[in-house]
Amino acid sequence: MASALRPLRLLLLGAPGSGKGTQTARLLKQFPQIESVSSGDLLRQQIKAGTPLGQKASLYISSGKLLSDELITKLIITNLSNRKWMNSSASWLLDGFPRTVKQAELLDAELGRHSAQLNLVVQLDVPENVILERIENRYVHVPSGRVYNLTYNPPRVPGKDDITGEPLTKRSDDTYEVFGKRLKEYRRTVTPLIDHYAKSGILEKVTGETSDIIFPQLVKLVSEKFGE
Ligand code: ATP
Ligand code: MG
């Protein structure tokens, strides 16, 4: 019999294109009590809506640069508190934030005030050559953040989202040139971030070339944390 669930507060870490969005969607399906927020999806929604933040974000995103730590942290923390996620019994996962030590420290402090600290950080470790092959084939549905890949995970109707039938788009930062910059930014920022979470004893790593190989490892870690 499954024991009572403990709240899960998970961060998924990984290079651009490592499958954070795909793994998130699969986890939410498997564990319906979990909710998620993706910093990149939030920013793309702001861009689509043409807000001042979206206009600013689009300049950074299209050149593969990170937004300022203060700006992105404020956006995410506002989002978390609007959704009542600071309530210590809520289970959620973050995709794409924090991605610098500064962001991690700001988030730790805020969550600490609510006794809702992260309790699991999983690094998705996918070889870079595999990632580079995927990017060309990636399409997204901006309103939901759903991700498709023409090779591994094509939409049922070409160019359309499976659920809403709305058009899919190619991300402006999924070009060879910008993607290279994003990978470079990731390599520059990831080691201190990994060290930060390793120190707090909540870091795990899963390795594999495909989402199908990664997913069961992730499920195992999440189930252990949940006490199921
Ligand atoms: P992918 O979605 O392919 O796994 P990614 O992690 O590079 O890769 P997103 O998380 O969608 O992509 O982020 C896209 C862009 O949004 C980043 O390149 C950056 O400009 C901005 N961004 C997203 N999250 C943050 C963050 N935590 N701090 C600063 N900028 C961010
Ligand atoms: Mg993503």
Side-chain angles (χ1 to χ4, degrees):
M1 194 174 64
S3 58
L5 296 186
R6 283 194 290 270
L8 177 81
R9 294 182 294 268
L10 164 67
L11 165 63
L12 287 184
L13 265 184
S18 59
K20 300 180 294 284
T22 302
Q23 298 296 339
T24 296
R26 293 176 72 164
L27 279 177
L28 299 199
K29 214 166 160 195
Q30 175 116 3
F31 300 95
Q33 58 279 74
I34 303 177
E35 294 181 90
S36 72
V37 71
S38 153
S39 53
D41 289 350
L42 278 182
L43 294 172
R44 282 183 285 278
Q45 287 155 12
Q46 297 278 331
I47 293 173
K48 193 158 189 260
T51 65
L53 172 62
Q55 285 168 13
K56 187 163 184 186
S58 97
L59 296 176
Y60 284 85
I61 293 183
S62 58
S63 57
K65 293 201 192 102
L66 295 181
L67 274 80
S68 81
D69 291 331
E70 288 71 22
L71 186 69
I72 192 83
T73 302
K74 200 168 151 225
L75 176 73
I76 300 290
I77 287 181
T78 305
N79 198 279
L80 298 186
S81 67
N82 287 345
R83 298 197 198 192
K84 310 268 181 287
W85 282 6
M86 302 288 189
N87 170 332
S88 55
S89 67
S91 281
W92 41 260
L93 81 83
L94 303 177
D95 156 8
F97 174 91
R99 49 155 153 288
T100 66
V101 171
K102 179 76 192 168
Q103 292 175 17
E105 289 170 351
L106 292 169
L107 180 69
D108 287 350
E110 185 66 26
L111 294 177
R113 274 194 278 282
H114 296 85
S115 301
Q117 289 93 338
L118 291 178
N119 50 20
L120 181 62
V121 176
V122 182
Q123 183 188 6
L124 308 183
D125 178 31
V126 180
E128 269 188 26
N129 61 326
V130 175
I131 288 178
L132 288 167
E133 274 171 31
R134 284 181 189 170
I135 283 312
E136 287 278 287
N137 284 324
R138 177 158 79 169
Y139 285 79
V140 292
H141 177 245
V142 170
S144 67
R146 276 186 284 279
V147 183
Y148 297 86
N149 184 290
L150 298 187
T151 314
Y152 304 99
N153 166 35
R156 265 178 264 162
V157 177
K160 306 275 188 215
D161 176 48
D162 285 353
I163 311 281
T164 63
E166 291 167 351
L168 303 177
T169 50
K170 189 109 192 80
R171 279 171 52 171
S172 66
D173 58 347
D174 276 353
T175 61
Y176 183 79
E177 196 206 350
V178 179
F179 198 78
K181 290 191 187 150
R182 288 162 59 202
L183 266 182
K184 227 167 138 184
E185 276 292 82
Y186 177 74
R187 288 191 213 109
R188 181 177 70 80
T189 48
V190 70
T191 309
L193 194 57
I194 292 287
D195 291 347
H196 175 87
Y197 289 119
K199 265 186 233 147
S200 48
I202 56 173
L203 180 71
E204 303 283 348
K205 176 159 128 175
V206 295
T207 303
E209 296 204 354
T210 70
S211 296
D212 287 347
I213 292 174
I214 299 258
F215 186 62
Q217 304 177 55
L218 199 51
V219 167
K220 187 159 175 273
L221 290 170
V222 168
S223 302
E224 282 165 10
K225 188 55 68 178
F226 260 158
E228 278 187 328

